[in-house]
Amino acid sequence: MRRKIIAGNWKMNLLLEEAIDLFEQLNVLKESKSRIIVFPSFLYLGSFYNKFQGIIEMGAQNCSQFDSGAYTGDVSSAMIKSIGVNNVLVGHSERRQYFGETNEILKVKLNRVFEQGLSPFFCCGETREIREKATHVHFVRTQILDSIGHLTPEQASQLVIAYEPVWAIGTGLNATAEEAQEMHASIRELIKERWGEEIALKIPILYGGSLKSSNALSLLTMPDIDGGLIGGASLKAEEFLSIITLANELV
Ligand code: PGA
């Protein structure tokens, strides 16, 4: 049985005082059956990690595809590692859409992440146009194979995959539990074809896209949905805590 993962992607939200306030409200958790991870802004990551280390893990929202050197504004996987943080999002659709991150760039980023022994949360998902053409399964398979297909079985077994249909992100329109399950099952099948059944059964596949307390139960009870990567609803302590409570009742 895979442990559920509830992850909050804060994106470029919250000023320092607001972020501290939210973290303090979440930090009331003394134990959790599911894994909880928050991805705050880089600016707060180091100090939050030192201050709030505990039940809630922390992660970076991105990392550079470069090792080190003259890349103004970028943050390397080695820097993330050096502050003690282990988790990193790779290939969020907003990085793909607004920052030109291609499958090829993401492949290189994953290499940097694995060089440092970090744990990548690899994001994939189709746009509305692609879903309307009914080519979404093929599209997501290509995203995955192009960026992670080269990984060794040992590396692949450390992945967390997040399926986030772009049309559902921040729109209030979530994929139905059946739509999400169909894609998650197809991703797991792909992992099985590429690395074998043992790894396919081990890898957590999270759903993201307008996940909130009112739809969490139907999504999280699907057999191949192992948790959520949550944007908007992770910015409200009460909402995020109630999703965690629901997930904890399922494990
Ligand atoms: P959302 O974002 O929950 O606000 O739709 C999810 C994400 O982008 O990770």
Side-chain angles (χ1 to χ4, degrees):
M1 177 90 179
R2 293 177 295 272
R3 190 178 174 204
K4 291 268 187 270
I5 300 177
I6 300 298
N9 175 13
W10 288 3
K11 309 189 182 186
M12 198 173 73
N13 290 301
L14 307 172
L15 301 181
L16 179 61
E17 288 307 317
E18 296 165 330
I20 291 173
D21 184 50
L22 178 54
F23 223 111
E24 275 167 353
Q25 291 183 64
L26 299 177
N27 221 26
V28 295
L29 283 165
K30 293 290 166 256
E31 58 179 24
S32 172
K33 286 187 189 154
S34 38
R35 232 182 119 188
I36 307 162
I37 307 168
V38 166
F39 294 86
S41 155
F42 266 128
L43 213 51
Y44 313 146
L45 191 58
S47 63
F48 277 29
Y49 179 76
N50 291 330
K51 190 166 173 196
F52 297 116
Q53 244 191 95
I55 300 293
I56 303 176
E57 292 177 51
M58 258 163 265
Q61 293 178 14
N62 180 31
C63 78
S64 176
Q65 70 264 40
F66 302 109
D67 259 338
S68 68
Y71 302 101
T72 302
D74 231 354
V75 176
S76 71
S77 55
M79 289 170 172
I80 296 168
K81 173 86 176 175
S82 75
I83 61 166
V85 167
N86 283 316
N87 305 298
V88 56
L89 292 183
V90 177
H92 189 280
S93 68
E94 287 145 18
R95 301 293 318 168
R96 295 174 187 260
Q97 187 181 348
Y98 303 121
F99 302 94
E101 296 191 2
T102 60
N103 292 347
E104 188 53 38
I105 290 175
L106 298 173
K107 177 179 177 180
V108 179
K109 282 197 184 201
L110 281 166
N111 292 341
R112 299 284 92 80
V113 166
F114 279 113
E115 278 161 19
Q116 296 302 324
L118 301 177
S119 166
F121 284 56
F122 177 77
C123 307
C124 55
E126 81 286 355
T127 59
R128 180 190 299 278
E129 245 184 342
I130 290 166
R131 179 152 287 256
E132 280 167 1
K133 280 195 266 168
T135 52
H136 48 287
V137 170
H138 174 75
F139 180 85
V140 169
R141 280 179 73 97
T142 306
Q143 281 185 322
I144 292 178
L145 283 177
D146 284 0
S147 297
I148 71 177
H150 67 293
L151 299 179
T152 64
E154 208 213 311
Q155 290 171 328
S157 69
Q158 288 157 46
L159 281 168
V160 176
I161 294 180
Y163 167 59
E164 301 202 298
V166 179
W167 49 272
I169 296 179
T171 59
L173 266 183
N174 59 288
T176 63
E178 291 70 26
E179 284 169 335
Q181 167 58 27
E182 180 204 31
M183 184 64 87
H184 283 230
S186 122
I187 293 172
R188 205 175 297 289
E189 189 54 38
L190 175 61
I191 304 294
K192 183 175 156 190
E193 286 163 26
R194 180 69 188 78
W195 292 284
E197 187 162 25
E198 198 182 319
I199 292 178
L201 291 176
K202 184 178 172 222
I203 289 186
I205 307 176
L206 314 184
Y207 168 79
S210 298
L211 201 157
K212 44 189 175 285
S213 61
S214 58
N215 59 26
L217 197 60
S218 64
L219 287 157
L220 297 178
T221 43
M222 286 288 152
D224 288 297
I225 302 185
D226 304 312
L229 180 56
I230 302 157
S234 74
L235 298 172
K236 297 172 216 135
E238 205 184 318
E239 187 59 14
F240 195 57
L241 287 169
S242 53
I243 299 170
I244 293 169
T245 307
L246 283 170
N248 283 344
E249 279 162 11
L250 299 174
V251 283

